[in-house]
Amino acid sequence: MMLLFLLMHSGYVFGTLSALVCGRGALSRGLSAVGAVLGSSAGFALGVTALASDGLIQFSIPSFLPLTGFALRLDGLGAFFLIVIGLVGASASLYGVGYSAAYEGRYSLRMLGAMLNLLLLAMSLQVMADNAMTFLLMWEAMSLSAYWLVLTQNDQPGTVRAANWYLAMTHAGFAALVAMFLLLSGGELTVSFVNMRSTSALLVPLTRDAIFLLALFGFGAKAGIVPLHIWLPMAHPVAPSHVSAVMSGVVIKMGIYGLMRVALDLLGGGPVWWGGLVLSIGAVSALLGVLYALMEHDLKRLLAYHSVENIGIILIGIGAGLVFHSYGLMSLAALGFIGGLYHTINHASFKGLLFLGAGSVLHATHTRNMEEMGGLIKKMPWTALFFLIGSAAISALPPLN
């Protein structure tokens, strides 16, 4: 498994350096994508191997930074999300080779290729973080690289505003996560998650509740739950379509990962109202997300609002699992968590597919307004076929969902 980890890391680094050194042109786009596809594929294989063998990868680099050690550990939860990252990352990176050709001479392909590789690398290391400092560093790297990707088409209306809203919301959430980890670790951000697990049960209920609420806000801002979703329908439409696929398919899922890591793993569960609150927020997000989507004529904004809806559906499963867990009903809790995680990879697959399909439509028609479209199946039969598959999946038609 260590070989796969090194291959994953090397692939993303190669893709980043290729984008920065080669600059523009087909060679730059191709080499950058090769690195991203290699890194994503290795990450996917690493996640599958870890789940199949029930093994762990664990190591630390104490001298990586002057103030802290850099600790990584891959367990079952991290391996699952590593699979999601690899699945969407490889597809979007391959798609981006042709899609970004239209940006030649208009926008920075250096920044686009480098930031996409860094985003995928940061998320891959994020799910392996084994102390608070490593977690927060990777969280910030993920947020900043996504910010620069949203800014790619900086001369288009609404792009800068959307990127700034994203940056503001993600850093409000980041501040909450810093406070959460300070409470959870007793002020020592280098304390390993193993130590946090053993000491969290000794915390007074008020402190545990504060940690949970800070986690819900911090991770909820990234996931796009209502009412913290304001950045999501602004940022997704203006980003390049393969970036939108990664952000909707994976980036917002890091909020789900973080919430499960803290509430279930580090805190070991809590009172009934924790799960009830998550379940309620999930239900509201699912309902309002689909209502907003029904009123949209912008194809990519419609898909963005559906991401709010599907995050809500995922949280309904997680919330139900937390409620059952608090009552000691572990079999029912497992069903809730399995439902939430199953829909996580489910949504990543079909929403990634739909955003890539939307990118092809946008590339051909030069508009996101669905009222101006029609008869595309005749000129774009393959796009129509794959969009139909994604549409059937998002509509919960068997056997796709």
Side-chain angles (χ1 to χ4, degrees):
M1 287 196 289
M2 182 59 68
L3 178 61
L4 288 173
F5 171 81
L6 294 174
L7 191 60
M8 178 190 76
H9 186 270
S10 300
Y12 290 135
V13 171
F14 173 80
T16 301
L17 294 178
S18 296
L20 294 175
V21 172
C22 297
R24 61 179 64 184
L27 179 62
S28 172
R29 290 184 284 110
L31 290 178
S32 175
V34 166
V37 171
L38 177 62
S40 298
S41 301
F44 179 89
L46 178 61
V48 170
T49 303
L51 282 181
S53 63
D54 198 27
L56 294 174
I57 295 178
Q58 184 171 350
F59 58 91
S60 61
I61 311 175
S63 59
F64 183 78
L65 292 172
L67 298 179
T68 183
F70 190 77
L72 299 175
R73 176 179 179 271
L74 183 61
D75 60 7
L77 181 62
F80 175 85
F81 280 90
L82 197 57
I83 290 172
V84 177
I85 296 167
L87 179 68
V88 179
S91 305
S93 301
L94 185 61
Y95 175 97
V97 178
Y99 186 83
S100 59
Y103 293 171
E104 289 278 2
R106 299 172 58 201
Y107 307 113
S108 174
L109 292 180
R110 275 194 178 95
M111 188 65 73
L112 178 59
M115 289 300 110
L116 181 59
N117 276 276
L118 286 178
L119 173 63
L120 294 171
L121 175 60
M123 290 190 294
S124 298
L125 296 179
Q126 174 79 68
V127 299
M128 300 174 69
D130 198 37
N131 65 22
M133 187 61 75
T134 305
F135 189 101
L136 292 172
L137 284 172
M138 291 303 101
W139 190 268
E140 184 68 356
M142 170 183 64
S143 299
L144 291 178
S145 54
Y147 166 76
W148 287 109
L149 287 169
V150 172
L151 268 179
T152 299
Q153 302 178 79
N154 51 66
D155 61 342
Q156 298 298 309
T159 298
V160 175
R161 178 172 178 266
N164 288 339
W165 265 105
Y166 167 75
L167 195 65
M169 291 303 300
T170 197
H171 278 95
F174 182 76
L177 295 182
V178 172
M180 175 204 75
F181 275 120
L182 287 173
L183 288 174
L184 190 54
S185 65
E188 294 288 339
L189 295 180
T190 57
V191 171
S192 71
F193 285 169
V194 174
N195 289 333
M196 290 186 193
R197 293 184 190 98
S198 62
T199 59
S200 63
L202 304 177
L203 298 173
V204 298
L206 185 61
T207 302
R208 288 172 55 85
D209 292 343
I211 291 170
F212 170 76
L213 291 175
L214 287 168
L216 185 59
F217 177 85
F219 295 124
K222 180 67 70 179
I225 63 172
V226 174
L228 305 177
H229 70 291
I230 185 169
W231 65 271
L232 200 149
M234 291 192 290
H236 282 37
V238 300
S241 293
H242 61 300
V243 173
S244 298
V246 173
M247 292 188 68
S248 184
V250 187
V251 172
I252 63 174
K253 304 304 192 313
M254 293 298 99
I256 301 298
Y257 166 77
L259 184 62
M260 292 191 70
R261 176 65 72 191
V262 172
L264 188 63
D265 182 25
L266 300 185
L267 289 175
V272 176
W273 71 266
W274 286 15
L277 180 59
V278 172
L279 201 157
S280 300
I281 291 174
V284 171
S285 297
L287 177 62
L288 293 182
V290 73
L291 290 178
Y292 281 125
L294 288 173
M295 295 185 289
E296 272 298 333
H297 300 293
D298 184 309
L299 178 57
K300 291 182 71 176
R301 279 176 63 89
L302 179 146
L303 293 176
Y305 275 121
H306 270 299
S307 292
V308 176
E309 175 208 357
N310 282 276
I311 282 293
I313 294 171
I314 293 168
L315 286 178
I316 289 173
I318 303 301
L322 288 172
V323 168
F324 289 129
H325 188 275
S326 66
Y327 283 117
L329 302 173
M330 297 307 176
S331 296
L332 292 176
L335 288 177
F337 296 136
I338 288 171
L341 290 175
Y342 181 78
H343 196 60
T344 295
I345 197 167
N346 204 15
H347 176 254
S349 301
F350 71 68
K351 187 54 66 68
L353 175 61
L354 287 172
F355 265 115
L356 297 183
S360 295
V361 171
L362 175 60
H363 188 271
T365 63
H366 305 288
T367 180
R368 299 197 308 260
N369 190 343
M370 293 185 293
E371 301 297 320
E372 299 174 0
M373 299 176 188
L376 295 180
I377 191 173
K378 298 176 182 178
K379 295 183 178 180
M380 307 176 69
W382 285 107
T383 298
L385 173 62
F386 288 114
F387 215 99
L388 175 62
I389 295 172
S391 299
I394 202 173
S395 302
L397 295 178
L400 298 172
N401 215 336

